[in-house]
Amino acid sequence: MKTQNKYIKALKAAFPATIPILTGFLFLGMTYGIYMNVSGFPFWYPMIMSVVIFAGSVEFVTVNMLLGAFNPIQAFTMALMINARHLFYGISMLDRFKGVGLKKIYLIYGMCDESFSINYTANIPEDVDKGLFMTFVTLLNHIYWFTGSTLGGIFGSYINFSTEGLDFVMTAMFVVIFLEQWLKDKNHTPALLGLGLSLICLIAFGADNFVIPSMIAILAVLTFMRSPLSAKIENTQPNE
């Protein structure tokens, strides 16, 4: 009974944090399922891909790959370019994943942008198991995407309204997450560095190619400035 209560308590703590993701993933997942449907694929394609791949951007790109000639090198390169940011997510979560046991395997596998944002910034209650909380956040987000993709694949042929612009839901959500983190942290230097370096790379490399250079620049600058930034953060924390 005690173990069951531990799981229920973690689920109750995790679910409210994922409600914004539920809304976005259902819409975007259905958009993806519809896209697969109108591209000529049966419903089980988006259903299986949403479980196995679980990377929205790559899943959309995979549609064109499946319709084109077999080219594994191109597929690997494209997936790496699109999801290179996850390398930095993983580095950021090294401390968070300590002590969670075998749950780390699924946490790594299922770490999408939204799960990373919640698990990295969440203030987990002391009486809630940290590993279970992060696992439920990841699992719920995975279920939301799977549900939306499957529904879109099944009912895509019956939906006639325009779904253009639905992807803005996730953009708006990330803006809110950024603002929440800005208000939470007293030291805004890392955030300003990230914005500034991303803007410079956007101007230098263009909208289609700036993500990877931005990540490299941010990692290099933050690594170089790690010691002074850590000291500044410690000085801004209130005395206990």
Side-chain angles (χ1 to χ4, degrees):
M1 181 65 69
K2 186 176 181 181
T3 302
Q4 183 180 5
N5 290 337
K6 181 174 69 171
Y7 280 87
I8 294 175
K9 185 178 292 185
L11 177 60
K12 287 182 177 180
F15 175 68
T18 66
I19 291 177
I21 316 300
L22 168 62
T23 305
F25 269 17
L26 284 180
F27 277 112
L28 281 179
M30 288 184 67
T31 303
Y32 166 64
I34 293 169
Y35 181 46
M36 288 288 289
N37 182 279
V38 299
S39 298
F41 295 96
F43 78 93
W44 51 268
Y45 264 81
M47 183 176 71
I48 294 176
M49 288 169 62
S50 64
V51 174
V52 177
I53 300 177
F54 190 40
S57 301
V58 174
E59 289 180 53
F60 276 97
V61 173
T62 303
V63 178
N64 292 326
M65 293 183 185
L66 291 173
L67 293 173
F70 178 68
N71 191 334
I73 296 177
Q74 180 189 34
F76 173 80
T77 305
M78 185 68 69
L80 179 62
M81 289 181 61
I82 294 175
N83 282 336
R85 64 192 185 281
H86 287 249
L87 296 172
F88 302 93
Y89 292 171
I91 294 173
S92 301
M93 295 299 290
L94 287 175
D95 291 333
R96 282 288 219 178
F97 285 170
K98 285 182 179 178
V100 300
L102 293 176
K103 292 185 285 293
K104 182 189 295 186
I105 298 174
Y106 178 67
L107 288 171
I108 294 172
Y109 170 75
M111 182 167 42
C112 61
D113 298 340
E114 296 74 19
S115 297
F116 165 77
S117 299
I118 295 174
N119 287 332
Y120 185 75
T121 60
N123 292 318
I124 304 173
E126 294 183 358
D127 60 339
V128 174
D129 184 277
K130 179 183 70 172
L132 285 177
F133 175 90
M134 293 190 294
T135 300
F136 276 123
V137 166
T138 305
L139 178 61
L140 287 170
N141 289 340
H142 203 161
I143 291 173
Y144 301 155
W145 181 257
F146 168 80
T147 303
S149 300
T150 303
L151 290 175
I154 294 174
F155 300 108
S157 58
Y158 303 102
I159 298 176
N160 297 318
F161 64 86
S162 174
T163 57
E164 183 179 357
L166 289 179
D167 54 344
F168 184 73
V169 173
M170 305 312 294
T171 302
M173 185 202 69
F174 277 113
V175 171
V176 172
I177 291 174
F178 174 80
L179 292 175
E180 182 180 357
Q181 190 68 15
W182 178 277
L183 295 173
K184 179 181 176 182
D185 293 336
K186 292 185 177 181
N187 181 17
H188 302 311
T189 304
L192 292 173
L193 284 172
L195 289 174
L197 292 170
S198 298
L199 180 60
I200 292 172
C201 290
L202 175 63
I203 296 172
F205 298 99
D208 294 331
N209 303 305
F210 83 102
V211 174
I212 293 180
S214 297
M215 293 295 181
I216 295 174
I218 292 170
L219 178 63
V221 172
L222 291 181
T223 300
F224 178 76
M225 299 182 62
R226 180 177 180 181
S227 296
L229 282 175
S230 298
K232 187 174 181 179
I233 291 174
E234 290 178 359
N235 292 333
T236 57
Q237 291 179 343
N239 295 325
E240 297 182 356

